Amino acid sequence: MFITLLSILIMSTTRITTYTLPVLPYPSHALEPVISKATLENHHGKHFAAYVNNLNKMIPGSEYEGLLVEEIVQQAADGPIYNNAGQVMNHKLYFEQFIPTAQYKVPGRRITHAINYHFGGMEAFKKQMNEAAMSIFGSGWVWLAMDTEGRLVIVKESGGGNPWRRGMTPILGIDCWEHSWYLDYAFDKKVHFDTLWEIMNWDVIESRLPL
Ligand SMILES: [Fe+2]
């Protein structure tokens, strides 16, 4: 079993009573023109905040009281609690993985080697991720994840799903819900998925690779 950052987080964090909305690691205009200020403020300040608020209403008094979001995602039955916990986990990973275009750095050696090994190259990998994102019908996510055998795989999830639930480590997530792209790209979401690569923070993404 791999020791991941997430599992370290679970082992070392004390029980919690309130879930809080993480602060964005950049100003809300910082990802323009790939993601507009309006989309970012709506996505983070309304949608992500709603998932956090929903969790704070649902968890007290439930069997999941005191658990970390990551533990709820692993343990909750399919339904509203799982959906909201999944979306809280997903959006935290999502917003943390971006960086303003001006600060963009090329992927480091470790993540590059892993992607080259498992997908045959960075461009081939991006193409597969984008094709998976375009193939999501309705709402869902596409993840680059490490499976339990140590392989990097592309995983499609409906709703607020995360491969963490099945013992995989999420490395990079693409939000395919309309709220992530519709305001900026209307009926051309392919452009959104294509340009997201311009704001990937590869240092953060690489740090999620299990050691
Ligand atoms: Fe979202």
Side-chain angles (χ1 to χ4, degrees), residues 43 91 141 175 179:
H43 198 174
H91 284 84
W141 289 77
D175 188 343
H179 63 229

Side-chain angles (χ1 to χ4, degrees), residues 43 47 51 87 91 94 141 175 177 179-180:
H43 198 174
H47 292 276
Y51 300 130
Q87 287 292 57
H91 284 84
Y94 179 77
W141 289 77
D175 188 343
W177 287 59
H179 63 229
S180 70

